[in-house]
Amino acid sequence: MTQQQTAGPPSAGHADLAEEFLDRQTPLSRIRNLLHRYPALSPAIVLLIAVVVFGLLNDRFLRVENLSLITQQVAVVGTLAIAQTLIILTAGIDLSVGAVMILSSMVIAQLAVSNGIPGPVALLAGLVVGLGSGALNGFLVTRFRLPPFIVTLGTLNIFIALTLLYSGGSTVRGSAMPDMLTWLGSTFPIGPVRISTGVVMMLLLYVAVAFILGKTAWGRHVYAVGDDKEAARLAGIPVNRVLMSVYLAAGAVLAVGAWIQIGRTNAASPNAGVDLNLDSITAVVIGGTSLFGGRGSIWGSLLGALIVGVFRNGLSLAGLDVLYQTLAVGILIIIAVSVDQWIRKVKS
């Protein structure tokens, strides 16, 4: 019997290898592989397209004054996106980020104005509130193994209720606060653009968190836990300790966000930030961080926050009602998750 006759059909393994090789050769697969390797690339492209489109639709969009306004508006959402990124990297999600930030801001403002507490001590109290809120979320997730979605959905309502009970539903004006509490709302020029101190604070947070995630063992553990908790545990990583530290870090970031929020609005209101939870999740997902954890870039979240700010500002200049702006953000979330699912199909 000849060699040709004895050779049967190709094995399933060979067929899979051939299919994978062909899949990697298509232009679409190359794009998918590229986006998988560089998560921040897709939001950068979306941001560029959005700026060009809105600039063509309305000549006021690209004016220096409007661009300055967008950067200042993004400071709060961008800060919340840092906290949300840390949680989502561990395959969780935090629906309470906005509520924690507002609760911290009300504690800071009320202690300073109603109780005469010095500004630095009031800020420290706000940090304690942020850390305590993060500790509560982390404890429920790690100790009782509850899904982060359910935990933060419950604590969202708890924090909202506590805020209203503590503040009595009243707003504290910036004019009544110590200058230190509203300092992050001050602006300074960089060429023709005016930047608020809050934007600088947000950028410093991004630099610090990017360094920690990229250059420390803790950052590698965060990615490992998000990618596969059981594999991380078998590798000797203390999964629950990492998760708890992530929620604590997120709470600390949200306390800083409360300070930025007070400076941005020159007030502390219990009714502020209705869309902040949605916007923070949108920024992170659009920024290329996978909702399934283990993949993403903190700088992508900044780009995502800028995209949210650009969309809201551009649609507002186009004369669309705020409801349509919220509709657009919702559509962005669906598209971003769909793209994430597509990118996750990359073969290793």
Side-chain angles (χ1 to χ4, degrees), residues 217-241:
W218 183 81
R220 291 190 291 272
H221 290 171
V222 169
Y223 279 97
V225 168
D227 188 51
D228 190 328
K229 288 185 176 64
E230 183 60 21
R233 185 185 66 80
L234 293 174
I237 297 175
V239 173
N240 285 343
R241 191 180 304 171

Side-chain angles (χ1 to χ4, degrees), residues 145-205:
R145 301 186 183 278
L146 298 175
F149 179 89
I150 300 300
V151 168
T152 56
L153 179 62
T155 56
L156 163 67
N157 292 282
I158 292 173
F159 296 144
I160 289 176
L162 288 176
T163 300
L164 293 173
L165 288 171
Y166 178 74
S167 66
S170 60
T171 298
V172 180
R173 304 295 178 187
S175 56
M177 301 182 201
D179 292 339
M180 182 179 184
L181 299 188
T182 58
W183 172 63
L184 292 182
S186 60
T187 61
F188 58 92
I190 297 182
V193 180
R194 293 198 67 84
I195 301 293
S196 70
T197 313
V199 172
V200 176
M201 177 65 76
M202 177 196 70
L203 293 175
L204 290 175
L205 284 175

Side-chain angles (χ1 to χ4, degrees), residues 28-98:
L28 197 59
S29 295
R30 290 174 182 171
I31 293 174
R32 186 168 62 186
N33 291 333
L34 184 64
L35 295 179
H36 185 272
R37 190 175 306 160
Y38 304 104
L41 182 58
S42 54
I45 295 172
V46 172
L47 179 60
L48 178 62
I49 293 174
V51 169
V52 171
V53 170
F54 285 122
L56 292 175
L57 290 176
N58 194 315
D59 58 356
R60 290 184 298 166
F61 179 82
L62 293 177
R63 290 181 181 175
V64 172
E65 299 83 3
N66 188 60
L67 295 178
S68 300
L69 178 62
I70 292 175
T71 59
Q72 295 172 38
Q73 290 173 335
V74 164
V76 176
V77 175
T79 303
L80 265 63
I82 297 174
Q84 194 70 258
T85 301
L86 293 173
I87 303 298
I88 292 180
L89 280 176
T90 62
I93 194 166
D94 194 341
L95 301 179
S96 67
V97 290

Side-chain angles (χ1 to χ4, degrees), residues 75-81 83 96-108 126 129-130 133 159 163 250-262 264-265 267-270 272-274 276-277:
V76 176
V77 175
T79 303
L80 265 63
S96 67
V97 290
V100 172
M101 188 199 71
I102 298 304
L103 175 59
S104 297
S105 69
M106 292 308 304
V107 169
I108 292 171
V129 171
S133 302
F159 296 144
T163 300
V253 171
L254 294 175
V256 178
W259 189 14
I260 295 175
Q261 168 77 359
I262 291 174
R264 167 74 188 121
T265 60
S269 172
V274 176
L276 289 176
N277 292 323

Side-chain angles (χ1 to χ4, degrees), residues 299-342:
W299 294 113
S301 297
L302 177 58
L303 293 173
L306 287 170
I307 291 171
V308 172
V310 164
F311 264 79
R312 288 196 177 278
N313 182 272
L315 293 174
S316 177
L317 288 178
L320 291 181
D321 188 89
V322 67
L323 294 177
Y324 290 101
Q325 299 176 31
T326 304
L327 174 65
V329 172
I331 293 173
L332 280 175
I333 292 177
I334 295 174
I335 294 175
V337 173
S338 300
V339 171
D340 174 57
Q341 287 281 66
W342 177 66

